Amino acid sequence: MNRFTQAVLCAAVLLAPAAMAADLLPVEDFARHPPLSMPRLSPDGQYLAVRWDDGDSHALVVYRISDMSKPASMLHLPKYELPLGIYWVASDRLVVEKGKEFGSLDRPVYTGEIIASDVDGKHQDYLYGYEVRFSSRSGTRGTDRGFGFVDGLPDKANGHFYMAATSWSSHDTSALYDVDASANTRHLVADIGIGNMGFLIGDDGRARYAYGRNDAFNYVVYHRENDRWKQLPPSQIGGTFSPVEVAPDERHIYAYYDAGGGPASLVEQDESGSARTVLASAGFGNVGDIEWTALPRQPFATTHQTGVPQASYIDPNLPAAKLHRALSLKFPGQYVHFVDYSEDGGQLLFSVTSDRNPGSYFLIDTHTYKVRKLFDRAPWIDPAKMAERRPLHFKASDGRELEAILTLPPGRTETNLPMVLLPHGGPIGISGDWFYDDDAQFLANRGYLVLQVNYRGSGGRGEDFQEAGYLKWGTGIQQDLIDGVRWAIAQHYADRSRICAYGGSFGGYSAMMTVIRAPGMFKCAIGYAGVYDLKMMYKKGDVRESRSGRSYLTTVIGRDDADLDANSPDKLADRIDVPVLLVHGEDDQRAPFAQAKAMRAALDAAHKPYEWMSRPGEGHGFYNEKNRVDFYNALQAFLEKHIGKGA
């Protein structure tokens, strides 16, 4: 080896740590809120409505497609409130479902309010909700104290929409209205004596089905026959029957269906349930997202809810399928989703997302095939610097096949890595997926392998799999997580001596419970906005405030006090043998601050080491970006202290 070669190799070795350090991205990149999201294209293809977020407040913003440099109008909402549903009812008028978001771990909660605005921000009106005094018809809407949501739109925009509503004074009834969003008038289309129902509506305005979970947390489906509602028996519902849309011929419907309790397929059938044809088969997981043609809408492709999403074409010869395939080839390694068409089908809004890309939005002219990029959801994120997320399968100790998602730190070997177990929240009906994840990407950027397990009870795999998590919060679910860690060690992904558990909400509960159930496996545990006392869920927090919420608790955690105590980390604190970090918002309504204080008191009583971080004004997970940065810094420091720096 000559001296020049030696010098080059030495320089490369010396530069490697510096290059790796340069790839350590600012914490702020993972803590920031996307400024624009949830775009919707107007029927004439001239405007784009989006949800806007400046980290402190939200608004509905409308841009003229020809000039995206400045908004055409902006409708600001009060603090914590945000547009949860955006619908164009005409090319010059929008309808918005309002929601509230009290923390980063919360799925935003619908408030049941619906407002409307012209495209220029004028003629704003309050169409439904408890703040009836803001309505143009406040004098005659005194009974509008209830929960309403947009349940459908006519195929051709005519200024109207369909609204389902449950009144608080008669919560055992769901009503469906045809609403004129400009005149703020409505007429009743259908009603049924059960609350919280959604409706399947044809383009003729006729309600075909009512479906949803009743106050007993039972899923029910009703079919309307001769203007009377008939409940479908279990033999017709099977394990899953969820109506999706009425077919263009107005005689058939599309639905998710499974005869047993396994993953659901997409089917086409007549209204009675006969002549059922499977359009897309389920595999390991449910058929998930559906790709639709322009009007008259029909499904042309689907994906599965597990694994890396890939389009499965129902009819590959349809023009929409050919266009989707061509666009997918232009964005290898990413998923293309058709979001919205203009009414004439000439303009198509589509998104491109992946495990590394939080999302980019484009507009294509379907006649000239000219593509225009509109915006990136998180423009500061460089996908080339993000980590691969790899879905894999493993067998739990009872033989059940489970999905694990590994996020692999970029530029490192894939063996014997320090690892963070990151259980998802929920837990019932929620699942982790392949797409971009802030927590996982932050930890991987710091050199940690991240393991996420879709344990029993998770969504996406059918009713039987979901119900397998009922009454198993502290037992079967925790065993699945522990089995996932053992699998990662056996496959030599993880260094058995450098493993920590971290999670938010139910994930915070699991961070404590896995440590309790598998002593010696973990070196530390981080609980973020966690639930630590199961009995307290019946006394504090917003889940218990509705009949359906109380039925949910009875179904999924049970009412036996001894069992609840036996599966509550604050009652088992003496078994925690690792350092703990507790993080909580002091205004959390989902997992009240009292949960964290109970866990802290239990650790004090058991003389166990822990660190503490709380913030006033924060709800279920920190929303303020400065607090999020502080949390990520504390998380990184805690991991480095107890399992060392990342690879």
Side-chain angles (χ1 to χ4, degrees):
M1 184 182 296
N2 60 40
R3 290 183 179 179
F4 177 76
T5 304
Q6 276 186 314
V8 170
L9 287 175
C10 288
V13 170
L14 291 171
L15 285 172
M20 191 169 288
D23 286 337
L24 201 68
L25 300 175
V27 176
E28 289 78 5
D29 284 1
F30 303 96
R32 294 170 66 181
H33 300 291
L36 300 177
S37 60
M38 216 171 78
R40 296 294 182 265
L41 185 66
S42 64
D44 61 5
Q46 299 301 308
Y47 293 95
L48 191 74
V50 297
R51 186 165 75 196
W52 175 84
D53 181 353
D54 70 351
D56 208 32
S57 62
H58 297 91
L60 169 71
V61 176
V62 177
Y63 290 94
R64 189 180 293 274
I65 293 287
S66 59
D67 182 11
M68 292 282 293
S69 63
K70 61 181 184 297
S73 67
M74 180 177 287
L75 173 61
H76 280 281
L77 295 174
K79 190 174 183 180
Y80 300 123
E81 294 188 4
L82 71 166
L84 264 192
I86 302 172
Y87 304 88
W88 289 92
V89 295
S91 292
D92 60 354
R93 192 152 180 82
L94 300 109
V95 165
V96 176
E97 294 169 312
K98 289 176 65 176
K100 288 189 176 181
E101 186 172 44
F102 294 110
S104 60
L105 297 178
D106 260 339
R107 284 185 165 186
V109 177
Y110 287 92
T111 64
E113 301 168 276
I114 302 175
I115 58 177
S117 172
D118 282 351
V119 70
D120 59 4
K122 298 177 180 178
H123 188 197
Q124 295 177 14
D125 207 350
Y126 191 89
L127 303 186
Y128 189 86
Y130 59 92
E131 296 281 14
V132 290
R133 67 183 186 276
F134 297 122
S135 172
S136 62
R137 297 182 178 271
S138 58
T140 59
R141 294 280 172 84
T143 59
D144 272 8
R145 296 182 65 79
F147 188 94
F149 61 93
V150 177
D151 209 17
L153 300 171
D155 278 352
K156 297 286 187 180
N158 61 2
H160 290 236
F161 68 96
Y162 299 108
M163 178 183 75
T166 298
S167 171
W168 292 338
S169 61
S170 56
H171 48 73
D172 289 332
T173 298
S174 297
L176 179 69
Y177 297 93
D178 180 339
V179 182
D180 183 329
S182 293
N184 196 355
T185 59
R186 65 178 84 131
H187 75 263
L188 185 67
V189 173
D191 61 357
I192 185 171
I194 300 173
N196 307 315
M197 293 289 104
F199 296 88
L200 180 69
I201 312 149
D203 198 44
D204 57 4
R206 184 167 65 89
R208 314 298 180 85
Y209 285 92
Y211 58 95
R213 289 197 179 272
N214 60 21
D215 281 342
F217 197 63
N218 295 319
Y219 181 73
V220 292
V221 181
Y222 290 79
H223 181 226
R224 200 178 191 195
E225 301 176 7
N226 301 319
D227 290 328
R228 298 183 66 181
W229 292 107
K230 177 183 177 182
Q231 183 173 358
L232 298 188
S235 60
Q236 282 187 270
I237 294 178
T240 300
F241 176 73
S242 179
V244 176
E245 188 152 327
V246 177
D249 66 7
E250 291 290 323
R251 294 183 295 105
H252 292 80
I253 68 165
Y254 304 115
Y256 293 112
Y257 176 76
D258 178 69
S265 300
L266 177 66
V267 302
E268 182 178 356
Q269 64 175 59
D270 66 19
E271 282 196 47
S272 68
S274 61
R276 182 175 288 136
T277 302
V278 175
L279 300 180
S281 296
F284 180 75
N286 296 338
V287 169
D289 287 340
I290 302 172
E291 301 295 339
W292 298 89
T293 67
L295 294 174
R297 280 164 54 93
Q298 65 182 100
F300 71 82
T302 62
T303 64
H304 283 146
Q305 285 187 255
T306 57
V308 178
Q310 293 184 349
S312 175
Y313 296 103
I314 296 167
D315 182 352
N317 294 315
L318 286 173
K322 292 180 179 179
L323 177 59
H324 189 275
R325 189 189 299 273
L327 288 171
S328 298
L329 291 173
K330 294 290 185 181
F331 297 97
Q334 304 193 72
Y335 185 72
V336 174
H337 171 56
F338 286 5
V339 179
D340 258 342
Y341 295 88
S342 59
E343 201 167 85
D344 65 4
Q347 300 293 319
L348 167 62
L349 172 68
F350 70 93
S351 65
V352 176
T353 50
S354 75
D355 54 343
R356 298 170 171 90
N357 178 10
S360 304
Y361 292 90
F362 300 82
L363 192 70
I364 183 171
D365 185 309
T366 60
H367 301 301
T368 65
Y369 300 114
K370 182 180 178 181
V371 177
R372 176 185 172 189
K373 187 172 185 177
L374 299 178
F375 66 90
D376 290 315
R377 190 169 181 270
W380 56 87
I381 293 293
D382 180 356
K385 295 180 179 179
M386 295 296 107
E388 176 194 357
R389 287 170 57 75
R390 187 181 299 171
L392 297 166
H393 292 183
F394 71 94
K395 287 285 183 71
S397 51
D398 66 354
R400 189 185 298 270
E401 190 171 8
L402 301 175
E403 181 182 44
I405 300 171
L406 291 179
T407 306
L408 298 142
R412 282 78 162 184
T413 63
E414 296 184 4
T415 57
N416 296 321
L417 293 163
M419 187 177 82
V420 177
L421 171 68
L422 180 57
H424 67 70
I428 304 301
I430 308 298
S431 60
D433 59 35
W434 170 77
F435 291 101
Y436 183 91
D437 181 301
D438 273 324
D439 276 2
Q441 290 290 353
F442 170 73
L443 292 168
N445 183 258
R446 268 50 188 172
Y448 298 104
L449 172 70
V450 180
L451 169 65
Q452 293 165 285
V453 175
N454 283 324
Y455 44 73
R456 68 195 66 203
S458 301
R461 299 226 4 232
E463 285 299 305
D464 285 352
F465 187 83
Q466 181 170 305
E467 291 178 8
Y470 291 1
L471 309 180
K472 298 290 189 298
W473 280 30
T475 53
I477 289 177
Q478 304 311 314
Q479 189 59 51
D480 287 347
L481 292 167
I482 292 163
D483 288 342
V485 173
R486 288 174 176 155
W487 164 81
I489 294 169
Q491 297 297 311
H492 305 293
Y493 288 115
D495 179 347
R496 68 170 60 247
S497 66
R498 300 176 66 192
I499 299 173
C500 188
Y502 151 60
S505 194
F506 178 82
Y509 167 88
S510 291
M512 301 300 132
M513 286 303 297
T514 50
V515 167
I516 292 165
R517 299 297 188 218
M521 176 175 281
F522 300 93
K523 299 301 180 185
C524 58
I526 302 109
Y528 178 39
V531 171
Y532 308 112
D533 184 333
L534 296 186
K535 277 195 302 191
M536 191 187 293
M537 297 185 74
Y538 286 103
K539 301 174 184 176
K540 298 177 183 290
D542 58 7
V543 177
R544 68 185 173 90
E545 292 176 353
S546 66
R547 287 198 297 178
S548 58
R550 292 189 292 274
S551 295
Y552 167 82
L553 291 176
T554 302
T555 301
V556 302
I557 64 173
R559 289 285 344 211
D560 184 273
D561 284 354
D563 282 344
L564 294 175
D565 283 350
N567 292 286
S568 293
D570 70 327
K571 303 298 188 295
L572 306 169
D574 59 327
R575 302 186 195 177
I576 295 176
D577 58 359
V578 300
V580 166
L581 170 62
L582 294 177
V583 182
H584 222 95
E586 295 177 15
D587 292 345
D588 195 339
Q589 300 300 310
R590 182 60 44 84
F593 191 41
Q595 290 277 0
K597 291 192 288 187
M599 192 70 230
R600 179 176 64 180
L603 291 169
D604 280 333
H607 306 292
K608 299 293 183 176
Y610 67 89
E611 296 181 29
W612 176 263
M613 181 181 195
S614 68
R615 290 291 185 272
E618 289 286 11
H620 196 50
F622 294 172
Y623 192 82
N624 177 275
E625 289 183 3
K626 180 184 181 303
N627 290 339
R628 284 167 58 82
V629 168
D630 289 346
F631 166 61
Y632 274 139
N633 281 327
L635 173 64
Q636 180 179 343
F638 190 78
L639 291 172
E640 288 180 356
K641 182 191 296 187
H642 298 294
I643 60 173
K645 291 197 173 189

